[in-house]
Amino acid sequence: MPRTKSRAEELAAAVTLEPQGWGAGFQAQQSAESTPGTFAVLDEQCRWERQSLPRSVLASLTRYSEIPAAGGKGELKVSASVTVHTTVGDADERLASTLEEPLRCREQQVRADEWIAGLQSTATPYGQGNNTYADDQIVEIGKYLDGKVEQSYFWFVTRLGTVTVAVSVKGAKGYSDSELNVYASSATNAMLDGVKFQLEGDN
């Protein structure tokens, strides 16, 4: 596992999906990447904001992609994140807090006019269900609210050692839940493969 900030940043940059990694038709959103040296936090007012990295995190990067609205379909927005924690315990605590957040905040504000609500969480540690590929995984499914429009929302957070990978998929007109789930699952698997490749190179 990465033990230095520079190696952690290198891994995060190599693994976090670029638009083409999501599949055909994706392009970078206007704000393509998170601000360097920051970390997504759900504050006490249930608003998502980016704060300076805590001591428990060596590096964190999020890239934002989309398929523009066309052909009767709405704009599909996705994100991919990689966070490298200082210890396995820190990474595990991150997943534990992910499970607790929907209980603390039934509605979560993403941006001024964007909300997530009704999240239902499922945790699958290694060896349970179909999880033979990661130390732990949390899948959250809920609703994404953009003004008066309500769409499905998928949020996967997966841990491999001290590294957590996360993907979000915000539904849009013309996309089924099964399609959204495939996007989230495929992106997660691609990033896990990327983590494993990077770690094998360190051996």
Side-chain angles (χ1 to χ4, degrees):
M1 292 291 130
R3 299 184 182 278
T4 65
K5 181 180 178 180
S6 60
R7 178 64 186 117
E9 291 174 343
E10 181 182 299
L11 183 145
V15 172
T16 307
L17 283 190
E18 302 271 5
Q20 62 269 23
W22 285 91
F26 280 94
Q27 63 183 40
Q29 292 187 32
Q30 186 172 1
S31 296
E33 287 190 359
S34 56
T35 303
T38 63
F39 181 67
V41 175
L42 186 64
D43 69 15
E44 293 302 317
Q45 286 73 47
C46 298
R47 297 174 302 193
W48 282 101
E49 62 179 14
R50 298 199 73 86
Q51 299 179 358
S52 297
L53 294 180
R55 295 183 64 181
S56 60
V57 174
L58 293 173
S60 186
L61 175 64
T62 301
R63 290 187 173 126
Y64 307 96
S65 305
E66 65 185 11
I67 296 180
K73 289 188 173 183
E75 182 180 59
L76 180 67
K77 295 183 177 181
V78 299
S79 71
S81 304
V82 173
T83 301
V84 183
H85 300 264
T86 306
T87 68
V88 169
D90 292 328
D92 199 44
E93 186 175 327
R94 172 58 181 157
L95 264 75
S97 67
T98 299
L99 271 177
E100 295 167 359
E101 285 165 352
L103 301 177
R104 177 168 67 87
C105 296
R106 302 302 297 175
E107 290 190 350
Q108 302 172 13
Q109 186 175 4
V110 182
R111 292 186 177 87
D113 58 349
E114 296 180 17
W115 296 78
I116 301 166
L119 288 175
Q120 300 292 323
S121 304
T122 303
T124 311
Y126 178 80
Q128 294 187 16
N130 295 320
N131 183 4
T132 59
Y133 47 84
D135 294 317
D136 206 352
Q137 183 175 60
I138 294 173
V139 173
E140 295 187 345
I141 300 174
K143 294 298 180 182
Y144 164 64
L145 312 173
D146 183 359
K148 296 182 179 180
V149 179
E150 180 179 287
Q151 298 288 352
S152 296
Y153 177 82
F154 287 74
W155 172 244
F156 288 20
V157 185
T158 311
R159 180 177 70 82
L160 192 62
T162 61
V163 181
T164 57
V165 302
V167 301
S168 71
V169 179
K170 301 173 183 178
K173 177 184 176 182
Y175 292 93
S176 67
D177 283 356
S178 61
E179 287 178 291
L180 304 181
N181 184 61
V182 168
Y183 279 128
S185 299
S186 298
T188 296
N189 291 336
M191 288 201 291
L192 285 176
D193 287 344
V195 173
K196 293 172 184 176
F197 178 79
Q198 289 290 318
L199 297 181
E200 287 171 359
D202 287 343
N203 293 333

